[in-house]
C-alpha cells in the first residue's frame, strides 16, 4: 500500500531549500533498505529540479502534475486491494467467542496490507473522476470475494471502495482522501478517511473503524530519497470499547528503527496488550495479562502469499475502467519510454478536463455510479442480502463479475 508520492534524488545535494532553514527530521534516514530508496538519472533529476522550483513550503500538491517516471504502473483504486491480499488473517474472525480476539484479527488484516510496495519511491496514478476498478477473488475453498472502487470526487480527491465476501461473512469499505504538501526536503501525504470492517456473522460487534497513518517522501532535495509511514492511526470498536492507538515511527538521523510500529490495545480504560515490530518484517502482539507473544504477520515469511485477483481482460473493460483507461501509460512505463508515458498521461487528463468543462457548461454535476454519500460516508448503491448464495449472485451481477459455474 506504500508509495503515494513523487520522488527526487541525491542529484539535489546543495540545492537551496525553499524555507532556507531545514528541519532536523526532514531528511532521509541514513540506513534505509535498497527497495525503499530511489536515485534518479540526470535527465530525471533536471525535470524534478524544474518542478520543485515552482513549489513553496506548505503548498497543496493536489493540482500539481508530477512526471511519469515517479509513477507505479497502476491506479490508486487498484492499489487499495493490497489490504485484501491476505484474507486468511480475517476469515473466520466471527467464530471467535472473545471480542478481544476478534479485534486482534481485524488488526492483523490491516497490518498485513502495508508491506506490498514497488521498489523505490513511487506513487500510483491519481484516479480521474468517474474512474473505477473492479475485481473478483476466487478462494481455494470455492468461496469468492468482490471488490469495487470508484473515484467519486476530483477536488478534493476521494476514492470510495467496497469489498465483500458473502460466504466468509466479511465486508470492508471506506474512503480515502489524500492531501499532499511540499515541506522543503520532503513531501507529506495526510491520509484522511477510514476503513470500516464488518463481521457479518457478528452483527452485535457493529463496525471496526481504522484510520490511516501519514506518509512521507524524504530527501527529495538532498540526501537519499526514502518513503516512510509516520504518525498515529487508530483502530476501534465502539460496541465493545476496544481501541488500539498505533504509532508508525519515522526514523531520525541517529536513532530509531526503520519501518517500526508500536501500539497499545485497551479494553475501555484497561490496557490488555501491545503491538510492536516492523511493518516491513515481523509484527507481534504481547498480552498484558500473560506476557505471552504471538506473531501478527511475518512479511518476510508470508508476504509472498498474496491472493490473486481476477480482472476482466482489458478489451472487455469499459473505457473508464482503470487498467483500460491507463493502458497506454502503463505500457510506456513498462517500456521505459518517458516521452510516450507523458503523452499517454496527458491524453487521459486532458480528456478528463474537457469532460468536466462540458458538465459545468450544462450546469450538471458528476453522479457516481457505484457509491452514494450518506451522512458524510460513501457507501455502495447496493444492499447485501443476508443469504450468502443470494448475496454472491446479486453482487456478481451488479459488478458483472459472476464466477463461472463450479
Amino acid at each position: 500500500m506504500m508509495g503515494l508520492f513523487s520522488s527526487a534524488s541525491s542529484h539535489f545535494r546543495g540545492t537551496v531549500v525553499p524555507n532556507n532553514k531545514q528541519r532536523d527530521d526532514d531528511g532521509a534516514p541514513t540506513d534505509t533498505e535498497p527497495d525503499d530508496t530511489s536515485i534518479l538519472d540526470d535527465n530525471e533529476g533536471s525535470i524534478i529540479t524544474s518542478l520543485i522550483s515552482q513549489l513553496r513550503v506548505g503548498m497543496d500538491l493536489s493540482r500539481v502534475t508530477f512526471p511519469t517516471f515517479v509513477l507505479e504502473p497502476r491506479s490508486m483504486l487498484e492499489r487499495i486491494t493490497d489490504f485484501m491480499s491476505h484474507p486468511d488473517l480475517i476469515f473466520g474472525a466471527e467464530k471467535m467467542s472473545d471480542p478481544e480476539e476478534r479485534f486482534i484479527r481485524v488488526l492483523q488484516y490491516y497490518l498485513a496490507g502495508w508491506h506490498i510496495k514497488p521498489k523505490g519511491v513511487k506513487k500510483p496514478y491519481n484516479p480521474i473522476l468517474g474512474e473505477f476498478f473492479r475485481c473478483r477473488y476466487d478462494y481455494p475453498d470455492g468461496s469468492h470475494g468482490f471488490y469495487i472502487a470508484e473515484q467519486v470526487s476530483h477536488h478534493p480527491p476521494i476514492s470510495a471502495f467496497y469489498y465483500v465476501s458473502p460466504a466468509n461473512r466479511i465486508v470492508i469499505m471506506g474512503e480515502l482522501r489524500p492531501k499532499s504538501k511540499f515541506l522543503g526536503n520532503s513531501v507529506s501525504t495526510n491520509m484522511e478517511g477510514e476503513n470500516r470492517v464488518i463481521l457479518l456473522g457478528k452483527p452485535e460487534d457493529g463496525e471496526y473503524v481504522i484510520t490511516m497513518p501519514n506518509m512521507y517522501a524524504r530527501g527529495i532535495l538532498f540526501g537519499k530519497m526514502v518513503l516512510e509511514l509516520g504518525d498515529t492511526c487508530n483502530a476501534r470498536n465502539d460496541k465493545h470499547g476496544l481501541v488500539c492507538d498505533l504509532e508508525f515511527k519515522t526514523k531520525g538521523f541517529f536513532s530509531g528503527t526503520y519501518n517500526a510500529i508500536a501500539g497499545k490495545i485497551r479494553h475501555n480504560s484497561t490496557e490488555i496488550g501491545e503491538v510492536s515490530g516492523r511493518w516491513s518484517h515481523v509484527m507481534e502482539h504481547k498480552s498484558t495479562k500473560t506476557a505471552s507473544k504471538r506473531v501478527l504477520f511475518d512479511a518476510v515469511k508470508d508476504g509472498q502469499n498474496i491472493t490473486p485477483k481476477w480482472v476482466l481482460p482489458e478489451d472487455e473493460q469499459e473505457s473508464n475502467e482503470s487498467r483500460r483507461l491507463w493502458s497506454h501509460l502503463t505500457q510506456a512505463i513498462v517500456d521505459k519510454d518517458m516521452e510516450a508515458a507523458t503523452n499517454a498521461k496527458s491524453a487521459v487528463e486532458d480528456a478528463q478536463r474537457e469532460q468536466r468543462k462540458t458538465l459545468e457548461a450544462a450546469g450538471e454535476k458528476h453522479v457516481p455510479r457505484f457509491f452514494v454519500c450518506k451522512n458524510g460516508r460513501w457507501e455502495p448503491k447496493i444492499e447485501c442480502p443476508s443469504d450468502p448464495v443470494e448475496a454472491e449472485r446479486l453482487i456478481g451481477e451488479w459488478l458483472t463479475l459472476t464466477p463461472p459455474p463450479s
Side-chain angles (χ1 to χ4, degrees), residues 111 246-249 259-263 275-279 283:
L111 292 172
L246 190 64
E247 181 185 3
F248 286 77
K249 298 184 176 183
N259 296 347
I261 63 167
V275 176
S276 62
R278 300 172 67 190
W279 55 259
M283 293 167 282

Side-chain angles (χ1 to χ4, degrees), residues 98-104 205 207-209 234-245 264-270 272:
D98 184 357
E100 294 177 7
E101 180 63 27
R102 296 197 295 274
F103 186 76
I104 292 172
D205 283 5
E207 295 180 338
Y208 295 81
V209 180
N234 175 273
R236 71 181 191 275
N237 178 262
D238 293 338
K239 292 289 187 179
H240 295 293
L242 290 161
V243 176
C244 178
D245 294 314
K264 304 288 187 181
I265 303 175
R266 303 189 309 276
H267 191 171
N268 295 321
S269 59
T270 303
I272 60 173

